[in-house]
PDB file of all heavy atoms in Angstrom:
ATOM      1  N   THR A  15      -0.869 -21.724 -12.098  1.00 71.00           N
ATOM      2  CA  THR A  15      -0.398 -20.472 -11.505  1.00 71.00           C
ATOM      3  C   THR A  15      -1.518 -19.441 -11.453  1.00 71.00           C
ATOM      4  O   THR A  15      -2.202 -19.223 -12.444  1.00 71.00           O
ATOM      5  CB  THR A  15       0.771 -19.887 -12.351  1.00 71.00           C
ATOM      6  OG1 THR A  15       1.814 -20.857 -12.447  1.00 71.00           O
ATOM      7  CG2 THR A  15       1.335 -18.643 -11.673  1.00 71.00           C
ATOM      8  N   PRO A  16      -1.732 -18.810 -10.300  1.00 74.00           N
ATOM      9  CA  PRO A  16      -2.779 -17.785 -10.201  1.00 74.00           C
ATOM     10  C   PRO A  16      -2.551 -16.681 -11.230  1.00 74.00           C
ATOM     11  O   PRO A  16      -1.414 -16.296 -11.486  1.00 74.00           O
ATOM     12  CB  PRO A  16      -2.627 -17.226  -8.776  1.00 74.00           C
ATOM     13  CG  PRO A  16      -1.969 -18.357  -8.037  1.00 74.00           C
ATOM     14  CD  PRO A  16      -1.035 -19.014  -9.017  1.00 74.00           C
ATOM     15  N   PRO A  17      -3.631 -16.185 -11.879  1.00 76.00           N
ATOM     16  CA  PRO A  17      -3.446 -15.180 -12.915  1.00 76.00           C
ATOM     17  C   PRO A  17      -3.184 -13.791 -12.388  1.00 76.00           C
ATOM     18  O   PRO A  17      -2.962 -12.843 -13.133  1.00 76.00           O
ATOM     19  CB  PRO A  17      -4.835 -15.205 -13.603  1.00 76.00           C
ATOM     20  CG  PRO A  17      -5.786 -15.620 -12.529  1.00 76.00           C
ATOM     21  CD  PRO A  17      -5.004 -16.603 -11.676  1.00 76.00           C
ATOM     22  N   GLY A  18      -3.146 -13.654 -11.074  1.00 77.00           N
ATOM     23  CA  GLY A  18      -2.919 -12.320 -10.480  1.00 77.00           C
ATOM     24  C   GLY A  18      -2.822 -12.414  -8.975  1.00 77.00           C
ATOM     25  O   GLY A  18      -2.588 -13.500  -8.401  1.00 77.00           O
ATOM     26  N   VAL A  19      -3.066 -11.328  -8.327  1.00 78.00           N
ATOM     27  CA  VAL A  19      -3.016 -11.258  -6.865  1.00 78.00           C
ATOM     28  C   VAL A  19      -4.421 -11.299  -6.278  1.00 78.00           C
ATOM     29  O   VAL A  19      -5.316 -10.585  -6.717  1.00 78.00           O
ATOM     30  CB  VAL A  19      -2.332  -9.948  -6.427  1.00 78.00           C
ATOM     31  CG1 VAL A  19      -2.333  -9.828  -4.908  1.00 78.00           C
ATOM     32  CG2 VAL A  19      -0.888  -9.897  -6.922  1.00 78.00           C
ATOM     33  N   GLN A  20      -4.614 -12.181  -5.311  1.00 77.00           N
ATOM     34  CA  GLN A  20      -5.887 -12.231  -4.619  1.00 77.00           C
ATOM     35  C   GLN A  20      -5.767 -11.447  -3.304  1.00 77.00           C
ATOM     36  O   GLN A  20      -4.981 -11.797  -2.453  1.00 77.00           O
ATOM     37  CB  GLN A  20      -6.292 -13.676  -4.291  1.00 77.00           C
ATOM     38  CG  GLN A  20      -7.673 -13.800  -3.680  1.00 77.00           C
ATOM     39  CD  GLN A  20      -8.027 -15.250  -3.353  1.00 77.00           C
ATOM     40  OE1 GLN A  20      -7.224 -16.166  -3.595  1.00 77.00           O
ATOM     41  NE2 GLN A  20      -9.227 -15.454  -2.873  1.00 77.00           N
ATOM     42  N   LEU A  21      -6.483 -10.353  -3.212  1.00 74.00           N
ATOM     43  CA  LEU A  21      -6.389  -9.492  -2.049  1.00 74.00           C
ATOM     44  C   LEU A  21      -6.992 -10.164  -0.821  1.00 74.00           C
ATOM     45  O   LEU A  21      -7.919 -10.995  -0.933  1.00 74.00           O
ATOM     46  CB  LEU A  21      -7.093  -8.151  -2.306  1.00 74.00           C
ATOM     47  CG  LEU A  21      -6.449  -7.280  -3.385  1.00 74.00           C
ATOM     48  CD1 LEU A  21      -7.232  -5.976  -3.537  1.00 74.00           C
ATOM     49  CD2 LEU A  21      -4.997  -6.989  -3.049  1.00 74.00           C
ATOM     50  N   PRO A  22      -6.492  -9.827   0.360  1.00 73.00           N
ATOM     51  CA  PRO A  22      -6.965 -10.485   1.576  1.00 73.00           C
ATOM     52  C   PRO A  22      -8.369 -10.041   1.969  1.00 73.00           C
ATOM     53  O   PRO A  22      -8.828  -8.959   1.592  1.00 73.00           O
ATOM     54  CB  PRO A  22      -5.947 -10.033   2.627  1.00 73.00           C
ATOM     55  CG  PRO A  22      -5.505  -8.672   2.141  1.00 73.00           C
ATOM     56  CD  PRO A  22      -5.464  -8.825   0.626  1.00 73.00           C
ATOM     57  N   GLN A  23      -9.013 -10.887   2.730  1.00 79.00           N
ATOM     58  CA  GLN A  23     -10.305 -10.540   3.350  1.00 79.00           C
ATOM     59  C   GLN A  23     -10.070 -10.343   4.833  1.00 79.00           C
ATOM     60  O   GLN A  23      -9.575 -11.224   5.519  1.00 79.00           O
ATOM     61  CB  GLN A  23     -11.331 -11.634   3.111  1.00 79.00           C
ATOM     62  CG  GLN A  23     -11.705 -11.797   1.637  1.00 79.00           C
ATOM     63  CD  GLN A  23     -12.797 -12.858   1.411  1.00 79.00           C
ATOM     64  OE1 GLN A  23     -12.909 -13.776   2.191  1.00 79.00           O
ATOM     65  NE2 GLN A  23     -13.568 -12.700   0.366  1.00 79.00           N
TER      66      GLN A  23
END
Side-chain angles (χ1 to χ4, degrees):
T15 304
V19 176
Q20 185 181 1
L21 294 181
Q23 293 182 333

